[in-house]
Amino acid sequence: MASTIKSDNGVSSGVTGIVQTADSSGQLALQTTNSAGTAVTALTLNNSQQATFANTINVPNTFGFKNRIINGAMVIDQRNAGASVATPAGYTLDRWQVLQSTTGKISTQQNQGSVTPPSGFSNYLGVTSGSAYSVGSGDYYLILQNIEGYNVADLGYGTANAKTVTISFQVYSSLTGTFGGALTNGAGTRSYPFTYTVVSANTWTTISVTIAGDTTGTWGSTNSVGMQLIFGLGVGSTHSGTPGSWSNSAYYSATGAVSVVGTNGATFYITGVQLEVGTQATSFDYRPFTTELALCQRYCFVPNLTYNNYSGVCNSTTSGLVSLSLPVPMRIAPAGTFSGSFSGDNGLVVQTYSAANVSLNNSGVNTVRVYFTGGSGTAFTGGQAFGSNAASTGTIILSSEL
Amino acid sequence: MYKLQLDAISKQSNSMVFRDVDNTSIPMIVDNTDYQQFVRDIKSGAQLNDAEGNPITGSDLTTFMETLP
């Protein structure tokens, strides 16, 4: 039994209104009446405060993949494994890109500065300014995430049904004031500059920004860029716009926003980034580590070559080919960047290869073929098994980033 | 500088190009951002070599560019 609150449509009782009953159970049932006038319990709250819904739950936020941002908790760092990147001109933590109109103004690192992350998080993306740089009109210093079109197609941007989204995150900066960012389409022909305020320096601050959906413009809905979420670290007037409305311009931030690169040693730390449907920020969508890693590996995969799987074959006295199966289908056939020294063997003898002598010989979304050539060491015989060797210290970064 | 790659077995084009500044193999796919950069670089005058290391210039380069996706 339970106390009840019933919305009576009057079909059976002849009286419309809210009807209450009470008992001593301490439980509460919310009831609605169907077309026949019969009361049906929709929600029960027991005396342990547990809620039981009788039917489906419809809310603006989806429960699966609520957060359209990948690696919003800044956990995955395949490229750098937590090391500092002095002059990033590309991707830093997985899925997070650094763009600098002139490189070398900032450094980035997972958990840079070793401050205590905000409650509920173990990691953050840290940015530190390396100089006091006055941005020119065309300058831009940004961290951003390109969201694949498949992951935001349901938002209906560019249509009359475009959905309102809310961006939330935790930020910590040595600076205070009004910071800026923007939500844009992939082509940079639609942008919505926004602001947020950091009142207290060196304190984690929870930020929430709600943006009405854009009913115009062209927004990617497949495997190209669907949407860009940008945080400005110093943006000149050309790419700064009035906050709070959609524009046809390529705005990356809001006019008058704080410039992190303008102060030598200034810090900007961020984590818990979430972009979700609706007008309210909800709790952060924590995903299992393996799920988050797999989501990242659609765009970047750093294989471990320090084991012998002999999946390859020697195709000359000094070369070998190894096929690598990718853990998830990548967005497109990836490019492969090689650094360091590699080692391979046929089970009998070992050869070493410089990064310049290793390449992708084929690239696909499910498999790549790595070609080790010009090896130094005892000669192989063509047709023998070949595997990357545990002595390899080199790194392969496979990238199909947006 | 870029260099065209060959398939290790067939010795024919494998539709990949190697960027030597950072030892990156790039598939010639329109949606690949490294490929997009390759096209921009070549149009801006960056050197492109064939698989044997010979520079591709003049009308040969123009013809090659016309075949790109």
Side-chain angles (χ1 to χ4, degrees), chain A residues 223 315 321 331-338 355-356 358-362 369 371 401-402, chain B residues 5-9 11 14 16 18-19 22-27 29-34:
Chain A
N223 69 343
N315 77 327
L321 290 159
R331 183 182 69 88
I332 55 171
T337 299
F338 304 85
V358 186
S359 61
L360 289 188
N361 204 242
N362 285 115
R369 192 169 70 186
Y371 189 25
E401 293 284 4
L402 289 155
Chain B
Q5 295 184 199
L6 296 179
D7 183 272
I9 299 168
K11 307 303 181 190
N14 61 0
M16 298 195 69
F18 193 78
R19 183 173 64 205
D22 60 353
N23 300 315
T24 296
S25 293
I26 302 167
I29 296 172
V30 171
D31 286 336
N32 188 294
T33 53
D34 289 291

mmCIF file of all heavy atoms in Angstrom, chain A residues 223 315 321 331-338 355-356 358-362 369 371 401-402, chain B residues 5-9 11 14 16 18-19 22-27 29-34:
data_model
loop_
_atom_site.group_PDB
_atom_site.id
_atom_site.type_symbol
_atom_site.label_atom_id
_atom_site.label_comp_id
_atom_site.label_asym_id
_atom_site.label_seq_id
_atom_site.Cartn_x
_atom_site.Cartn_y
_atom_site.Cartn_z
ATOM 1 N N ASN A 223 30.708 10.784 -40.912
ATOM 2 C CA ASN A 223 32.008 10.625 -40.263
ATOM 3 C C ASN A 223 32.927 11.836 -40.429
ATOM 4 O O ASN A 223 34.125 11.743 -40.196
ATOM 5 C CB ASN A 223 32.715 9.355 -40.756
ATOM 6 C CG ASN A 223 33.156 9.456 -42.200
ATOM 7 O OD1 ASN A 223 32.687 10.324 -42.932
ATOM 8 N ND2 ASN A 223 34.041 8.569 -42.612
ATOM 9 N N ASN A 315 60.107 -10.323 -46.072
ATOM 10 C CA ASN A 315 59.961 -10.325 -47.530
ATOM 11 C C ASN A 315 61.255 -9.969 -48.243
ATOM 12 O O ASN A 315 61.265 -9.754 -49.427
ATOM 13 C CB ASN A 315 58.790 -9.442 -47.971
ATOM 14 C CG ASN A 315 59.115 -7.977 -47.922
ATOM 15 O OD1 ASN A 315 59.883 -7.567 -47.066
ATOM 16 N ND2 ASN A 315 58.543 -7.202 -48.840
ATOM 17 N N LEU A 321 57.103 -7.536 -42.999
ATOM 18 C CA LEU A 321 55.779 -6.940 -43.019
ATOM 19 C C LEU A 321 54.963 -7.525 -41.870
ATOM 20 O O LEU A 321 54.963 -8.737 -41.656
ATOM 21 C CB LEU A 321 55.060 -7.261 -44.334
ATOM 22 C CG LEU A 321 55.584 -6.581 -45.594
ATOM 23 C CD1 LEU A 321 55.136 -7.359 -46.828
ATOM 24 C CD2 LEU A 321 55.077 -5.145 -45.649
ATOM 25 N N ARG A 331 37.854 5.698 -37.787
ATOM 26 C CA ARG A 331 36.923 6.567 -38.524
ATOM 27 C C ARG A 331 37.161 6.458 -40.022
ATOM 28 O O ARG A 331 36.222 6.356 -40.808
ATOM 29 C CB ARG A 331 37.103 8.017 -38.067
ATOM 30 C CG ARG A 331 36.140 8.992 -38.712
ATOM 31 C CD ARG A 331 36.408 10.410 -38.240
ATOM 32 N NE ARG A 331 37.660 10.942 -38.738
ATOM 33 C CZ ARG A 331 37.814 11.575 -39.904
ATOM 34 N NH1 ARG A 331 36.782 11.766 -40.679
ATOM 35 N NH2 ARG A 331 39.001 12.035 -40.280
ATOM 36 N N ILE A 332 38.405 6.531 -40.413
ATOM 37 C CA ILE A 332 38.836 6.331 -41.791
ATOM 38 C C ILE A 332 40.177 5.619 -41.722
ATOM 39 O O ILE A 332 40.735 5.451 -40.646
ATOM 40 C CB ILE A 332 38.992 7.665 -42.566
ATOM 41 C CG1 ILE A 332 39.949 8.589 -41.807
ATOM 42 C CG2 ILE A 332 37.653 8.333 -42.807
ATOM 43 C CD1 ILE A 332 40.334 9.830 -42.570
ATOM 44 N N ALA A 333 40.709 5.202 -42.863
ATOM 45 C CA ALA A 333 42.040 4.607 -42.876
ATOM 46 C C ALA A 333 43.029 5.578 -42.245
ATOM 47 O O ALA A 333 43.100 6.737 -42.640
ATOM 48 C CB ALA A 333 42.447 4.290 -44.310
ATOM 49 N N PRO A 334 43.772 5.131 -41.241
ATOM 50 C CA PRO A 334 44.619 6.062 -40.496
ATOM 51 C C PRO A 334 45.954 6.340 -41.175
ATOM 52 O O PRO A 334 46.461 5.524 -41.949
ATOM 53 C CB PRO A 334 44.841 5.326 -39.172
ATOM 54 C CG PRO A 334 44.829 3.880 -39.566
ATOM 55 C CD PRO A 334 43.800 3.770 -40.667
ATOM 56 N N ALA A 335 46.520 7.487 -40.827
ATOM 57 C CA ALA A 335 47.922 7.758 -41.110
ATOM 58 C C ALA A 335 48.740 7.172 -39.965
ATOM 59 O O ALA A 335 48.244 7.017 -38.846
ATOM 60 C CB ALA A 335 48.162 9.255 -41.218
ATOM 61 N N GLY A 336 49.995 6.814 -40.257
ATOM 62 C CA GLY A 336 50.861 6.256 -39.228
ATOM 63 C C GLY A 336 52.109 7.088 -39.064
ATOM 64 O O GLY A 336 52.815 7.350 -40.045
ATOM 65 N N THR A 337 52.376 7.533 -37.846
ATOM 66 C CA THR A 337 53.577 8.323 -37.563
ATOM 67 C C THR A 337 54.529 7.492 -36.713
ATOM 68 O O THR A 337 54.118 6.928 -35.690
ATOM 69 C CB THR A 337 53.210 9.626 -36.828
ATOM 70 O OG1 THR A 337 52.358 10.404 -37.659
ATOM 71 C CG2 THR A 337 54.458 10.434 -36.495
ATOM 72 N N PHE A 338 55.771 7.427 -37.140
ATOM 73 C CA PHE A 338 56.751 6.540 -36.516
ATOM 74 C C PHE A 338 57.871 7.359 -35.879
ATOM 75 O O PHE A 338 58.395 8.297 -36.484
ATOM 76 C CB PHE A 338 57.342 5.593 -37.570
ATOM 77 C CG PHE A 338 56.285 4.789 -38.289
ATOM 78 C CD1 PHE A 338 55.628 5.318 -39.388
ATOM 79 C CD2 PHE A 338 55.929 3.529 -37.838
ATOM 80 C CE1 PHE A 338 54.631 4.602 -40.038
ATOM 81 C CE2 PHE A 338 54.946 2.810 -38.481
ATOM 82 C CZ PHE A 338 54.289 3.341 -39.584
ATOM 83 N N ALA A 355 63.176 4.917 -37.417
ATOM 84 C CA ALA A 355 61.792 5.310 -37.702
ATOM 85 C C ALA A 355 61.603 5.658 -39.177
ATOM 86 O O ALA A 355 60.530 5.425 -39.742
ATOM 87 C CB ALA A 355 61.409 6.499 -36.831
ATOM 88 N N ALA A 356 62.651 6.211 -39.800
ATOM 89 C CA ALA A 356 62.535 6.593 -41.205
ATOM 90 C C ALA A 356 62.412 5.381 -42.113
ATOM 91 O O ALA A 356 62.029 5.509 -43.287
ATOM 92 C CB ALA A 356 63.744 7.435 -41.616
ATOM 93 N N VAL A 358 60.522 2.703 -41.308
ATOM 94 C CA VAL A 358 59.276 2.007 -40.987
ATOM 95 C C VAL A 358 58.125 2.828 -41.547
ATOM 96 O O VAL A 358 58.140 4.061 -41.465
ATOM 97 C CB VAL A 358 59.097 1.821 -39.464
ATOM 98 C CG1 VAL A 358 57.876 0.976 -39.156
ATOM 99 C CG2 VAL A 358 60.347 1.173 -38.862
ATOM 100 N N SER A 359 57.172 2.161 -42.142
ATOM 101 C CA SER A 359 56.058 2.894 -42.746
ATOM 102 C C SER A 359 54.816 2.014 -42.743
ATOM 103 O O SER A 359 54.892 0.805 -42.472
ATOM 104 C CB SER A 359 56.398 3.296 -44.185
ATOM 105 O OG SER A 359 56.638 2.144 -44.967
ATOM 106 N N LEU A 360 53.695 2.642 -43.034
ATOM 107 C CA LEU A 360 52.488 1.863 -43.292
ATOM 108 C C LEU A 360 52.509 1.502 -44.769
ATOM 109 O O LEU A 360 52.631 2.385 -45.618
ATOM 110 C CB LEU A 360 51.224 2.678 -42.995
ATOM 111 C CG LEU A 360 50.882 2.998 -41.551
ATOM 112 C CD1 LEU A 360 49.492 3.626 -41.480
ATOM 113 C CD2 LEU A 360 50.945 1.755 -40.688
ATOM 114 N N ASN A 361 52.372 0.225 -45.057
ATOM 115 C CA ASN A 361 52.357 -0.169 -46.464
ATOM 116 C C ASN A 361 50.937 -0.296 -46.977
ATOM 117 O O ASN A 361 50.702 -0.229 -48.174
ATOM 118 C CB ASN A 361 53.127 -1.474 -46.659
ATOM 119 C CG ASN A 361 53.644 -1.625 -48.072
ATOM 120 O OD1 ASN A 361 53.276 -2.546 -48.777
ATOM 121 N ND2 ASN A 361 54.487 -0.685 -48.498
ATOM 122 N N ASN A 362 50.021 -0.479 -46.086
ATOM 123 C CA ASN A 362 48.597 -0.417 -46.396
ATOM 124 C C ASN A 362 47.879 0.092 -45.164
ATOM 125 O O ASN A 362 48.319 -0.146 -44.043
ATOM 126 C CB ASN A 362 48.021 -1.783 -46.786
ATOM 127 C CG ASN A 362 48.412 -2.205 -48.193
ATOM 128 O OD1 ASN A 362 49.124 -3.176 -48.359
ATOM 129 N ND2 ASN A 362 47.962 -1.466 -49.181
ATOM 130 N N ARG A 369 49.083 -2.494 -42.336
ATOM 131 C CA ARG A 369 50.264 -3.335 -42.557
ATOM 132 C C ARG A 369 51.499 -2.462 -42.397
ATOM 133 O O ARG A 369 51.665 -1.482 -43.118
ATOM 134 C CB ARG A 369 50.225 -3.974 -43.939
ATOM 135 C CG ARG A 369 51.265 -5.071 -44.110
ATOM 136 C CD ARG A 369 51.019 -5.856 -45.378
ATOM 137 N NE ARG A 369 51.296 -5.065 -46.567
ATOM 138 C CZ ARG A 369 51.043 -5.483 -47.806
ATOM 139 N NH1 ARG A 369 50.489 -6.661 -48.003
ATOM 140 N NH2 ARG A 369 51.329 -4.718 -48.840
ATOM 141 N N TYR A 371 55.507 -1.863 -42.533
ATOM 142 C CA TYR A 371 56.633 -2.330 -43.346
ATOM 143 C C TYR A 371 57.937 -1.887 -42.693
ATOM 144 O O TYR A 371 58.213 -0.694 -42.569
ATOM 145 C CB TYR A 371 56.504 -1.726 -44.750
ATOM 146 C CG TYR A 371 57.463 -2.255 -45.783
ATOM 147 C CD1 TYR A 371 58.041 -3.529 -45.695
ATOM 148 C CD2 TYR A 371 57.765 -1.487 -46.906
ATOM 149 C CE1 TYR A 371 58.890 -3.993 -46.665
ATOM 150 C CE2 TYR A 371 58.619 -1.945 -47.897
ATOM 151 C CZ TYR A 371 59.176 -3.204 -47.771
ATOM 152 O OH TYR A 371 60.031 -3.675 -48.739
ATOM 153 N N GLU A 401 42.090 11.236 -36.895
ATOM 154 C CA GLU A 401 41.397 12.316 -36.217
ATOM 155 C C GLU A 401 40.633 13.196 -37.205
ATOM 156 O O GLU A 401 40.969 13.277 -38.382
ATOM 157 C CB GLU A 401 42.412 13.184 -35.448
ATOM 158 C CG GLU A 401 43.071 12.483 -34.282
ATOM 159 C CD GLU A 401 42.166 12.367 -33.059
ATOM 160 O OE1 GLU A 401 40.995 12.768 -33.133
ATOM 161 O OE2 GLU A 401 42.658 11.871 -32.028
ATOM 162 N N LEU A 402 39.674 13.865 -36.657
ATOM 163 C CA LEU A 402 38.860 14.783 -37.456
ATOM 164 C C LEU A 402 39.612 16.089 -37.682
ATOM 165 O O LEU A 402 40.390 16.499 -36.858
ATOM 166 C CB LEU A 402 37.543 15.057 -36.739
ATOM 167 C CG LEU A 402 36.574 13.882 -36.715
ATOM 168 C CD1 LEU A 402 35.630 13.992 -35.538
ATOM 169 C CD2 LEU A 402 35.798 13.847 -38.017
ATOM 170 N N GLN B 5 54.830 6.140 -51.952
ATOM 171 C CA GLN B 5 55.191 4.800 -51.497
ATOM 172 C C GLN B 5 54.728 3.757 -52.521
ATOM 173 O O GLN B 5 53.818 4.004 -53.319
ATOM 174 C CB GLN B 5 54.530 4.510 -50.142
ATOM 175 C CG GLN B 5 55.017 5.388 -49.014
ATOM 176 C CD GLN B 5 54.414 5.014 -47.664
ATOM 177 O OE1 GLN B 5 54.424 5.810 -46.751
ATOM 178 N NE2 GLN B 5 53.877 3.806 -47.544
ATOM 179 N N LEU B 6 55.351 2.608 -52.438
ATOM 180 C CA LEU B 6 54.949 1.465 -53.265
ATOM 181 C C LEU B 6 54.537 0.313 -52.359
ATOM 182 O O LEU B 6 55.039 0.183 -51.233
ATOM 183 C CB LEU B 6 56.107 1.008 -54.161
ATOM 184 C CG LEU B 6 56.611 1.989 -55.215
ATOM 185 C CD1 LEU B 6 57.773 1.355 -55.991
ATOM 186 C CD2 LEU B 6 55.491 2.396 -56.162
ATOM 187 N N ASP B 7 53.641 -0.504 -52.866
ATOM 188 C CA ASP B 7 53.286 -1.714 -52.143
ATOM 189 C C ASP B 7 54.517 -2.611 -52.047
ATOM 190 O O ASP B 7 55.245 -2.801 -53.032
ATOM 191 C CB ASP B 7 52.154 -2.450 -52.877
ATOM 192 C CG ASP B 7 51.705 -3.672 -52.119
ATOM 193 O OD1 ASP B 7 52.292 -4.763 -52.326
ATOM 194 O OD2 ASP B 7 50.780 -3.540 -51.307
ATOM 195 N N ALA B 8 54.751 -3.159 -50.865
ATOM 196 C CA ALA B 8 55.977 -3.932 -50.630
ATOM 197 C C ALA B 8 56.035 -5.200 -51.469
ATOM 198 O O ALA B 8 57.125 -5.716 -51.743
ATOM 199 C CB ALA B 8 56.063 -4.300 -49.149
ATOM 200 N N ILE B 9 54.898 -5.694 -51.871
ATOM 201 C CA ILE B 9 54.883 -6.966 -52.609
ATOM 202 C C ILE B 9 54.743 -6.731 -54.107
ATOM 203 O O ILE B 9 55.535 -7.221 -54.906
ATOM 204 C CB ILE B 9 53.741 -7.861 -52.083
ATOM 205 C CG1 ILE B 9 53.987 -8.163 -50.597
ATOM 206 C CG2 ILE B 9 53.643 -9.160 -52.896
ATOM 207 C CD1 ILE B 9 52.824 -8.791 -49.888
ATOM 208 N N LYS B 11 54.993 -3.877 -55.734
ATOM 209 C CA LYS B 11 55.838 -2.772 -56.186
ATOM 210 C C LYS B 11 55.053 -1.768 -57.024
ATOM 211 O O LYS B 11 55.632 -0.979 -57.769
ATOM 212 C CB LYS B 11 57.057 -3.283 -56.989
ATOM 213 C CG LYS B 11 57.873 -4.344 -56.273
ATOM 214 C CD LYS B 11 58.372 -3.878 -54.925
ATOM 215 C CE LYS B 11 59.206 -4.971 -54.238
ATOM 216 N NZ LYS B 11 59.504 -4.626 -52.834
ATOM 217 N N ASN B 14 50.637 2.158 -53.823
ATOM 218 C CA ASN B 14 49.684 1.725 -52.800
ATOM 219 C C ASN B 14 48.841 2.895 -52.302
ATOM 220 O O ASN B 14 48.221 2.819 -51.248
ATOM 221 C CB ASN B 14 50.405 1.045 -51.625
ATOM 222 C CG ASN B 14 51.379 1.972 -50.921
ATOM 223 O OD1 ASN B 14 51.534 3.127 -51.300
ATOM 224 N ND2 ASN B 14 52.040 1.468 -49.894
ATOM 225 N N MET B 16 49.655 5.657 -51.052
ATOM 226 C CA MET B 16 50.100 6.245 -49.795
ATOM 227 C C MET B 16 51.319 7.107 -50.070
ATOM 228 O O MET B 16 52.055 6.881 -51.029
ATOM 229 C CB MET B 16 50.441 5.163 -48.762
ATOM 230 C CG MET B 16 49.239 4.311 -48.398
ATOM 231 S SD MET B 16 49.456 3.336 -46.915
ATOM 232 C CE MET B 16 49.482 4.587 -45.655
ATOM 233 N N PHE B 18 54.610 9.317 -48.047
ATOM 234 C CA PHE B 18 55.381 9.384 -46.801
ATOM 235 C C PHE B 18 55.847 10.813 -46.584
ATOM 236 O O PHE B 18 56.441 11.428 -47.475
ATOM 237 C CB PHE B 18 56.590 8.440 -46.881
ATOM 238 C CG PHE B 18 57.265 8.206 -45.559
ATOM 239 C CD1 PHE B 18 56.713 7.338 -44.628
ATOM 240 C CD2 PHE B 18 58.462 8.842 -45.248
ATOM 241 C CE1 PHE B 18 57.343 7.107 -43.409
ATOM 242 C CE2 PHE B 18 59.093 8.620 -44.032
ATOM 243 C CZ PHE B 18 58.532 7.745 -43.110
ATOM 244 N N ARG B 19 55.559 11.348 -45.404
ATOM 245 C CA ARG B 19 56.010 12.698 -45.027
ATOM 246 C C ARG B 19 57.251 12.541 -44.168
ATOM 247 O O ARG B 19 57.185 12.008 -43.068
ATOM 248 C CB ARG B 19 54.893 13.409 -44.264
ATOM 249 C CG ARG B 19 55.214 14.852 -43.870
ATOM 250 C CD ARG B 19 53.980 15.521 -43.286
ATOM 251 N NE ARG B 19 53.549 14.875 -42.052
ATOM 252 C CZ ARG B 19 52.289 14.898 -41.588
ATOM 253 N NH1 ARG B 19 51.342 15.508 -42.263
ATOM 254 N NH2 ARG B 19 51.986 14.306 -40.454
ATOM 255 N N ASP B 22 58.221 14.034 -40.176
ATOM 256 C CA ASP B 22 57.850 13.339 -38.943
ATOM 257 C C ASP B 22 57.604 11.847 -39.163
ATOM 258 O O ASP B 22 56.958 11.188 -38.350
ATOM 259 C CB ASP B 22 56.627 13.989 -38.290
ATOM 260 C CG ASP B 22 55.395 13.966 -39.193
ATOM 261 O OD1 ASP B 22 55.526 13.562 -40.373
ATOM 262 O OD2 ASP B 22 54.311 14.332 -38.719
ATOM 263 N N ASN B 23 58.139 11.326 -40.281
ATOM 264 C CA ASN B 23 58.035 9.883 -40.577
ATOM 265 C C ASN B 23 56.585 9.395 -40.505
ATOM 266 O O ASN B 23 56.243 8.501 -39.742
ATOM 267 C CB ASN B 23 58.903 9.064 -39.622
ATOM 268 C CG ASN B 23 60.367 9.435 -39.710
ATOM 269 O OD1 ASN B 23 60.907 9.571 -40.800
ATOM 270 N ND2 ASN B 23 61.015 9.621 -38.569
ATOM 271 N N THR B 24 55.744 10.025 -41.333
ATOM 272 C CA THR B 24 54.327 9.673 -41.310
ATOM 273 C C THR B 24 53.889 9.125 -42.660
ATOM 274 O O THR B 24 54.122 9.756 -43.703
ATOM 275 C CB THR B 24 53.481 10.908 -40.947
ATOM 276 O OG1 THR B 24 53.804 11.313 -39.630
ATOM 277 C CG2 THR B 24 51.988 10.603 -41.018
ATOM 278 N N SER B 25 53.272 7.957 -42.640
ATOM 279 C CA SER B 25 52.665 7.378 -43.834
ATOM 280 C C SER B 25 51.216 7.838 -43.911
ATOM 281 O O SER B 25 50.471 7.693 -42.939
ATOM 282 C CB SER B 25 52.691 5.846 -43.774
ATOM 283 O OG SER B 25 54.005 5.371 -43.838
ATOM 284 N N ILE B 26 50.832 8.362 -45.047
ATOM 285 C CA ILE B 26 49.510 8.985 -45.178
ATOM 286 C C ILE B 26 48.731 8.316 -46.300
ATOM 287 O O ILE B 26 49.182 8.310 -47.452
ATOM 288 C CB ILE B 26 49.661 10.491 -45.491
ATOM 289 C CG1 ILE B 26 50.482 11.177 -44.386
ATOM 290 C CG2 ILE B 26 48.302 11.151 -45.665
ATOM 291 C CD1 ILE B 26 50.948 12.571 -44.761
ATOM 292 N N PRO B 27 47.568 7.762 -45.989
ATOM 293 C CA PRO B 27 46.720 7.230 -47.069
ATOM 294 C C PRO B 27 46.077 8.370 -47.846
ATOM 295 O O PRO B 27 45.698 9.393 -47.260
ATOM 296 C CB PRO B 27 45.660 6.414 -46.310
ATOM 297 C CG PRO B 27 45.591 7.019 -44.955
ATOM 298 C CD PRO B 27 46.962 7.579 -44.655
ATOM 299 N N ILE B 29 43.327 9.627 -48.858
ATOM 300 C CA ILE B 29 41.884 9.580 -48.637
ATOM 301 C C ILE B 29 41.427 10.994 -48.307
ATOM 302 O O ILE B 29 42.012 11.656 -47.437
ATOM 303 C CB ILE B 29 41.536 8.628 -47.483
ATOM 304 C CG1 ILE B 29 41.941 7.204 -47.850
ATOM 305 C CG2 ILE B 29 40.061 8.701 -47.121
ATOM 306 C CD1 ILE B 29 41.805 6.239 -46.703
ATOM 307 N N VAL B 30 40.408 11.432 -48.990
ATOM 308 C CA VAL B 30 39.982 12.832 -48.875
ATOM 309 C C VAL B 30 39.717 13.240 -47.436
ATOM 310 O O VAL B 30 40.064 14.349 -47.023
ATOM 311 C CB VAL B 30 38.720 13.058 -49.745
ATOM 312 C CG1 VAL B 30 38.131 14.437 -49.482
ATOM 313 C CG2 VAL B 30 39.052 12.905 -51.213
ATOM 314 N N ASP B 31 39.107 12.369 -46.650
ATOM 315 C CA ASP B 31 38.724 12.735 -45.285
ATOM 316 C C ASP B 31 39.879 12.671 -44.291
ATOM 317 O O ASP B 31 39.699 12.983 -43.123
ATOM 318 C CB ASP B 31 37.589 11.825 -44.788
ATOM 319 C CG ASP B 31 36.267 12.183 -45.443
ATOM 320 O OD1 ASP B 31 36.118 13.336 -45.874
ATOM 321 O OD2 ASP B 31 35.401 11.297 -45.525
ATOM 322 N N ASN B 32 41.047 12.213 -44.735
ATOM 323 C CA ASN B 32 42.185 12.137 -43.823
ATOM 324 C C ASN B 32 42.823 13.524 -43.708
ATOM 325 O O ASN B 32 43.215 14.127 -44.711
ATOM 326 C CB ASN B 32 43.210 11.111 -44.342
ATOM 327 C CG ASN B 32 44.300 10.854 -43.335
ATOM 328 O OD1 ASN B 32 45.095 11.735 -43.027
ATOM 329 N ND2 ASN B 32 44.346 9.636 -42.823
ATOM 330 N N THR B 33 42.911 14.031 -42.492
ATOM 331 C CA THR B 33 43.413 15.400 -42.309
ATOM 332 C C THR B 33 44.883 15.530 -42.711
ATOM 333 O O THR B 33 45.315 16.590 -43.162
ATOM 334 C CB THR B 33 43.225 15.864 -40.859
ATOM 335 O OG1 THR B 33 43.808 14.914 -39.975
ATOM 336 C CG2 THR B 33 41.744 16.008 -40.523
ATOM 337 N N ASP B 34 45.667 14.450 -42.542
ATOM 338 C CA ASP B 34 47.064 14.505 -42.984
ATOM 339 C C ASP B 34 47.137 14.577 -44.506
ATOM 340 O O ASP B 34 48.007 15.259 -45.063
ATOM 341 C CB ASP B 34 47.833 13.282 -42.470
ATOM 342 C CG ASP B 34 48.064 13.350 -40.975
ATOM 343 O OD1 ASP B 34 48.848 14.193 -40.531
ATOM 344 O OD2 ASP B 34 47.438 12.559 -40.244
#
